[in-house]
Amino acid sequence: EAQVTQNPRYLITVTGKKLTVTCSQNMNHEYMSWYRQDPGLGLRQIYYSMNVEVTDKGDVPEGYKVSRKEKRNFPLILESPSPNQTSLYFCASSQTYRGSNYGYTFGSGTRLTVV
Amino acid sequence: AQKVTQAQTEISVVEKEDVTLDCVYETRDTTYYLFWYKQPPSGELVFLIRRNSFDEQNEISGRYSWNFQKSTSSFNFTITASQVVDSAVYFCALSDYKLSFGAGTTVTVRA
């Protein structure tokens, strides 16, 4: 089944403790991106990647890092999480940055709470 | 600057009523794509439609229809004869050089 897999689905952590949210896709997509969803703000892009070793900042990159060493994986790293990073996170992929006739494929989301 | 505006924060209707969700966008590009996504209470994002900037034909898919008007930079979405299962948050999105979402409209359909 074609899908984007995010892990974990839920995570509660403490301020300052480094964490990684994994994202993997099995569709050989070139484009991958991370979003955070907050009430009243919709989804805001954190980082995106056009292809392996090509990443760039989105609208809200502060406090996050990403890497794209392999085409299928695009992990999101929070080096020192803070409470304002409590949010619902989504990973998405598509063949191109324009999306496709099937849109962008999103993962199921990761609900992160930083206390 | 690229921007997507969904002015309606919440809409509440009774089952079988029609509901129209507004989406207005801004972009400097002549080539772009517009999307609608549904987010039910379970939280996943469900793709509904993609429309490119050169195709202004309206689209109908079952009880869903979309009205794309380049002249007013709008891409509105109508649910006809709404059902309780239509209750969700609906997002409009624009892709030119990146994908940007509106803030979303919460639709509640009451039985």
Side-chain angles (χ1 to χ4, degrees):
Chain A
E1 181 189 352
Q3 60 185 358
V4 174
T5 303
Q6 283 179 238
N7 280 298
R9 290 292 309 275
Y10 301 92
L11 178 61
I12 301 175
T13 190
V14 296
T15 300
K17 186 177 181 182
K18 181 179 178 180
L19 66 92
T20 299
V21 183
T22 63
C23 175
S24 180
Q25 50 96 2
N26 61 1
M27 296 162 282
N28 202 37
H29 284 169
E30 293 188 348
Y31 179 84
M32 297 185 75
S33 62
W34 276 102
Y35 295 84
R36 61 177 288 172
Q37 182 180 0
D38 302 290
L41 298 176
L43 284 85
R44 294 177 293 168
Q45 190 176 60
I46 303 170
Y47 270 94
Y48 63 94
S49 170
M50 295 290 199
N51 213 326
V52 176
E53 302 291 3
V54 181
T55 63
D56 208 345
K57 297 177 181 178
D59 295 318
V60 288
E62 295 76 23
Y64 304 95
K65 283 176 56 178
V66 293
S67 67
R68 188 92 181 272
K69 293 184 171 58
E70 308 164 280
K71 203 169 190 179
R72 63 183 294 126
N73 295 323
F74 190 44
L76 179 70
I77 303 157
L78 285 73
E79 294 270 3
S80 183
S82 61
N84 64 13
Q85 292 179 297
T86 292
S87 187
L88 177 59
Y89 292 86
F90 287 99
C91 179
S93 75
S94 182
Q95 187 52 44
T96 75
Y97 74 101
R98 296 267 196 206
S100 74
N101 286 336
Y102 304 100
Y104 297 79
T105 304
F106 282 84
S108 299
T110 295
R111 186 164 294 281
L112 172 66
T113 302
V114 183
V115 297
Chain B
Q2 182 199 53
K3 188 177 178 182
V4 179
T5 302
Q6 294 180 255
Q8 304 148 307
T9 306
E10 294 184 28
I11 298 176
S12 181
V13 297
V14 177
E15 212 170 16
K16 297 185 183 175
E17 287 185 355
D18 297 348
V19 55
T20 294
L21 310 181
D22 298 332
C23 173
V24 175
Y25 62 91
E26 294 176 28
T27 178
R28 288 176 293 189
D29 281 10
T30 54
T31 302
Y32 53 89
Y33 293 84
L34 295 162
F35 302 80
W36 276 95
Y37 277 85
K38 173 183 179 180
Q39 187 177 44
S42 51
E44 73 271 24
L45 287 160
V46 179
F47 167 73
L48 297 178
I49 190 170
R50 176 204 197 216
R51 172 67 74 213
N52 76 58
S53 54
F54 299 107
D55 182 1
E56 286 194 70
Q57 279 193 337
N58 292 333
E59 174 129 358
I60 298 175
S61 176
R63 295 184 296 104
Y64 295 168
S65 62
W66 291 270
N67 182 358
F68 176 30
Q69 291 196 336
K70 251 175 131 171
S71 59
T72 56
S73 296
S74 65
F75 187 41
N76 296 337
F77 171 35
T78 297
I79 304 172
T80 302
S82 60
Q83 301 175 358
V84 172
V85 293
D86 296 326
S87 297
V89 182
Y90 291 86
F91 292 100
C92 180
L94 164 69
S95 172
D96 44 20
Y97 62 95
K98 66 173 186 174
L99 179 65
S100 293
F101 285 80
T105 299
T106 300
V107 174
T108 303
V109 181
R110 309 185 308 277

